[in-house]
Amino acid sequence: MKMMESYPMNGGDGTYSYTKNSSFQRQCIRKAKSMIDEIINQNLEITASNSTFKIGDLGCSVGPNALICVENIIEAVKVKYHESTPEFQVFFNDHTFNDFNTLFRSLPPEKQYFAAGVVGSFHQRLFPENSIDLIHSSNALHWLSHVPKELLDTNSPCWNKGRIYYPSAPQAVTRAYSAQFAKDMDIFFKVRSKEVVEGGIMVLIFPTAGLSHSSVLCTMMLDALGPCLMDMAKAHGQGSVSESLVDSFNLPLYIPTKKEMLEVVGRNGSFKIEKIELFDAKSDDVDVDNDMKTIRNEWVMCFRASLEGVLTTQFGNEIMDELFDRFSKKIEQLQVRPIGEMQMLFLALKRNSSHL
């Protein structure tokens, strides 16, 4: 428990806030809406009459995306149980340092549900047994509970010197990330199986490496942060960014393949898969060639809103402007096209009663 770390998105509604820089995540939610509608209609098997339908949104951050997710889910449940629509209770979950104030200030005045915040890591128990009808999580499960400990051992083959991520690292580093993700997800499924009611479902949406880890857009872009930090270390000497600080820092993120997720779910046994589908997260109405500069800038701002918290913990906040200016130039220099190659995984599961 004490090993779990908190990585809050940038709070408030300022220039670098997650609120203003999460349009990609919002597009994923829109793309997944029809799949959520279908799963609720065909696979949700609870008695809704005279009851309260309880929804847990894990890794909610600061909105407005979480609110859109919740509204989509509620509308789908109302369609399914139109003759006996229940009352709705929504539990928004995230770490202690999440900006819940901004989230709850964003709640619509005429919301059709009771809202509550549940503080804590989703890598642990959050709710009483058999209490939640539907668990939802979007763009959150690729965050690890903590960096694999092997990466912090200078005598380990996983010592990731000069890098902060795994795409350009030795295979031992990638294996350490993969193993940590598998451990985290095993715990995640075990604790969720205690919380979800029989007949309830869990919907998980997160970035994926598709069939392999080669040329994954998200990891390629994140990997470019490492050289930016090393360039700053060389330019600044032993100041706020030193090579030793970069050597001892690794991003606590892992993008799994579809195959890895199937294996984790199968080994765990707590849930059975109702639907698993890869989908393209890009917007259908974007002119890629004409809007590439704008798109790159949006991605850089998205990464800053998402990563500034964990980066600041290691390097302080005074370097952030320079770091993300360098990062923007690096992405342009590498001619990364941050659109059209970003796959997401939609995973719908039902609690496996025979496993309990």
Side-chain angles (χ1 to χ4, degrees):
M1 293 287 289
K2 64 183 179 182
M3 287 288 289
M4 293 181 188
E5 300 170 7
S6 179
Y7 319 110
M9 306 296 102
N10 280 353
D13 58 358
T15 302
Y16 304 116
S17 66
Y18 187 79
T19 299
K20 289 189 175 176
N21 297 286
S22 53
S23 59
F24 167 77
Q25 292 88 337
R26 188 153 50 254
Q27 181 61 28
C28 294
I29 292 165
R30 289 172 179 152
K31 287 266 188 166
K33 183 182 184 302
S34 61
M35 288 184 279
I36 292 176
D37 292 347
E38 177 187 337
I39 285 296
I40 289 175
N41 182 56
Q42 298 182 5
N43 300 95
L44 185 65
E45 297 177 353
I46 65 166
T47 303
S49 179
N50 300 319
S51 67
T52 301
F53 190 93
K54 299 180 179 66
I55 301 167
D57 187 71
L58 310 188
C60 64
S61 191
V62 299
N65 297 338
L67 308 184
I68 297 172
C69 290
V70 165
E71 291 290 344
N72 290 346
I73 290 168
I74 289 175
E75 289 304 321
V77 173
K78 288 171 69 175
V79 168
K80 182 178 179 68
Y81 297 106
H82 61 280
E83 293 182 357
S84 55
T85 301
E87 291 189 303
F88 294 94
Q89 171 79 65
V90 178
F91 298 99
F92 293 100
N93 156 258
D94 216 308
H95 279 281
T96 305
F97 295 105
N98 182 61
D99 184 3
F100 283 100
N101 287 335
T102 293
L103 173 67
F104 286 114
R105 279 198 301 268
S106 303
L107 289 173
E110 303 301 322
K111 66 183 185 302
Q112 50 187 334
Y113 53 87
F114 299 97
V118 176
V119 175
S121 168
F122 50 57
H123 297 298
Q124 66 187 42
R125 280 288 299 276
L126 295 167
F127 308 105
E129 288 193 20
N130 299 309
S131 63
I132 305 298
D133 299 296
L134 189 149
I135 291 284
H136 170 271
S137 181
S138 182
N139 278 289
L141 288 184
H142 57 294
W143 285 91
L144 300 173
S145 63
H146 59 274
V147 171
K149 61 181 185 299
E150 303 95 314
L151 274 63
L152 306 178
D153 181 358
T154 58
N155 297 315
S156 167
C158 299
W159 172 242
N160 206 18
K161 182 176 175 59
R163 293 175 292 267
I164 67 169
Y165 209 32
Y166 62 85
S168 59
Q171 280 298 308
V173 174
T174 303
R175 286 194 293 269
Y177 268 98
S178 178
Q180 184 61 54
F181 178 81
K183 291 176 186 176
D184 284 348
M185 290 307 300
D186 185 58
I187 294 172
F188 179 89
F189 288 131
K190 283 179 179 176
V191 296
R192 298 292 87 78
S193 70
K194 295 181 182 296
E195 299 166 346
V196 176
V197 302
E198 187 170 359
I201 58 177
M202 185 158 63
V203 175
L204 310 175
I205 303 164
F206 48 92
T208 179
L211 301 177
S212 73
H213 286 287
S214 60
S215 302
V216 178
L217 173 65
C218 184
T219 55
M220 287 172 60
M221 294 182 71
L222 289 171
D223 200 39
L225 271 171
C228 295
L229 284 164
M230 289 302 290
D231 290 344
M232 291 176 68
K234 292 171 183 176
H236 290 259
Q238 293 300 310
S240 57
V241 185
S242 65
E243 290 192 29
S244 62
L245 276 176
V246 178
D247 291 341
S248 62
F249 176 79
N250 292 275
L251 289 171
L253 298 158
Y254 182 69
I255 310 298
T257 64
K258 177 181 177 181
K259 181 174 181 287
E260 284 176 299
M261 283 305 306
L262 287 170
E263 290 174 348
V264 170
V265 175
R267 282 195 305 268
N268 179 271
S270 299
F271 287 86
K272 60 179 179 179
I273 296 175
E274 300 291 338
K275 184 181 182 67
I276 182 167
E277 184 173 325
L278 296 170
F279 68 96
D280 187 352
K282 78 178 181 69
S283 175
D284 296 326
D285 58 359
V286 171
D287 186 336
V288 176
D289 294 325
N290 291 333
D291 297 340
M292 185 51 60
K293 184 175 181 179
T294 300
I295 294 166
R296 284 199 186 104
N297 182 62
E298 288 177 352
W299 271 83
V300 170
M301 294 290 279
C302 176
F303 280 127
R304 179 163 184 170
S306 302
L307 300 175
E308 194 164 16
V310 66
L311 288 164
T312 298
T313 300
Q314 179 79 350
F315 303 104
N317 58 20
E318 65 274 8
I319 73 159
M320 291 301 127
D321 287 342
E322 180 182 350
L323 173 60
F324 282 97
D325 182 59
R326 286 176 178 266
F327 179 60
S328 179
K329 292 174 181 176
K330 179 73 71 175
I331 295 301
E332 185 174 0
Q333 175 188 341
L334 295 173
Q335 296 186 325
V336 174
R337 293 168 62 86
I339 194 164
E341 302 170 39
M342 188 61 193
Q343 283 192 312
M344 301 294 293
L345 189 66
F346 179 94
L347 184 60
L349 306 113
K350 184 174 290 186
R351 197 187 80 180
N352 191 348
S353 301
S354 62
H355 185 74
L356 298 179

